[in-house]
Amino acid sequence: MPELGLNRVDLATPAGVHCFVSTRQGGFSEGSFAAFNLALHVGDDAATVRRNRKLLLASLQQQCVEPALKLQWMQQVHGTRVWRCNGNTLEPPPEADALYTAAPNIVLGVLTADCLPVLLCSEDGKEIAVAHAGWRGLCNGVLEATLENFNSSPAQVRCWLGPAIGPCHFEVGNDVRDAFLASAPGHQQTATAAAFMTGHKPGKWQADLYALARLRLLTAGVQQISGQVQCTVCDADRYYSYRQQAVTGRFATLIVRAT
Ligand SMILES: [Zn+2]
């Protein structure tokens, strides 16, 4: 079996905070889900996904040198609800599109295949969060809702934008552009419009989720934003992509505060 696809995120996190992104490599899933699918809701064999999750947890425990780590997932619904984890994990996972915790040893995970995964961490390393930012959640304010859960001010929160569909492949209609323009304040109309480039087809736009997320975070007061475009469609051998293949798995973007 190839080496497990689990990469550390190059993020200037405080001591004790660890960030990771998984890839398709190294798990047990087969066919369209090959090989390291971590999602139970996509049609893959549940026992196989649980084996993959076990592999993931073991690798995280080893890399963080912390055998007490536990995983917390969420049932993502493209909404804006944030689940606050108090130290006990919930199974089945809560219906939410962001997870926040100030508790140690809880690995917060978001599962995606084109939507934008966002990691958040306070400068003092005591508060962490993940968010699932597809265009709907992003437009409706999932990142702002996540920031509201922090005791730290947004200026003291670092954010990282993970692998997601890039402007090269994210074709949207007028409805998406109109929704973002309607939700943007007056002084950001121009910048918001600039995140939608004229599409290859009439009436279509190429949307830049990363630029839209940065705008929302900057407006909320976040100053430290990292993570460049890593297009999941361009890099479909490495990451799962729903646009590239409708029946597919999900990779995880993860953050933990290890003791
Ligand atoms: Zn692309």
Side-chain angles (χ1 to χ4, degrees):
M1 184 186 289
E3 198 183 333
L4 195 68
L6 184 64
N7 298 317
R8 271 187 187 274
V9 170
D10 186 18
L11 175 62
T13 43
V17 177
H18 306 263
C19 304
F20 300 90
V21 179
S22 72
T23 72
R24 300 186 68 140
Q25 274 74 53
F28 297 105
S29 296
E30 295 176 343
S32 317
F33 304 108
F36 192 25
N37 168 43
L38 292 162
L40 284 164
H41 67 284
V42 293
D44 193 1
D45 175 60
T48 306
V49 176
R50 293 194 194 282
R51 283 177 82 196
N52 287 342
R53 287 183 172 189
K54 228 178 218 183
L55 276 184
L56 171 70
L57 184 59
S59 182
L60 288 166
Q61 288 169 334
Q62 190 187 18
Q63 293 207 43
C64 299
V65 202
E66 179 48 77
L69 296 189
K70 289 184 284 188
L71 277 163
Q72 179 65 65
W73 303 105
M74 52 189 162
Q75 292 184 58
Q76 302 163 193
V77 293
H78 298 278
T80 60
R81 183 163 176 245
V82 185
W83 175 263
R84 288 176 71 96
C85 177
N86 61 10
N88 300 313
T89 50
L90 207 60
E91 180 61 37
E95 192 176 288
D97 284 278
L99 297 167
Y100 164 94
T101 194
N105 299 338
I106 308 288
V107 184
L108 306 178
V110 53
L111 295 167
T112 58
D114 293 344
C115 285
L116 182 67
V118 182
L119 298 181
L120 304 94
C121 173
S122 65
E123 272 179 351
D124 62 10
K126 290 183 177 160
E127 302 176 89
I128 57 170
V130 294
H132 167 235
W135 79 262
R136 252 190 204 91
L138 184 60
C139 192
N140 290 332
V142 70
L143 296 181
E144 291 88 338
T146 308
L147 287 165
E148 277 168 18
N149 278 271
F150 279 76
N151 293 320
S152 309
S153 72
Q156 296 167 317
V157 174
R158 293 175 187 167
C159 294
W160 183 77
L161 313 179
I165 190 165
C168 38
H169 279 101
F170 192 26
E171 185 184 86
V172 300
N174 283 319
D175 56 328
V176 176
R177 185 172 179 267
D178 291 348
F180 275 97
L181 286 171
S183 67
H187 69 279
Q188 282 198 345
Q189 290 291 312
T190 308
T192 302
F196 294 86
M197 286 142 282
T198 307
H200 308 308
K201 295 179 201 152
K204 296 290 183 184
W205 304 90
Q206 298 297 124
D208 187 343
L209 265 182
Y210 290 81
L212 292 163
R214 278 174 183 272
L215 269 175
R216 299 299 287 256
L217 289 168
L218 286 168
T219 304
V222 178
Q223 294 159 3
Q224 304 172 75
I225 310 165
S226 57
Q228 303 303 316
V229 176
Q230 292 183 71
C231 177
T232 42
V233 183
C234 287
D235 212 353
D237 290 340
R238 190 176 177 81
Y239 301 112
Y240 294 101
S241 167
Y242 180 79
R243 285 244 173 166
Q244 205 261 348
Q245 189 181 30
V247 176
T248 194
R250 300 288 183 273
F251 64 90
T253 304
L254 310 135
I255 187 165
V256 61
R257 220 191 114 197
T259 48

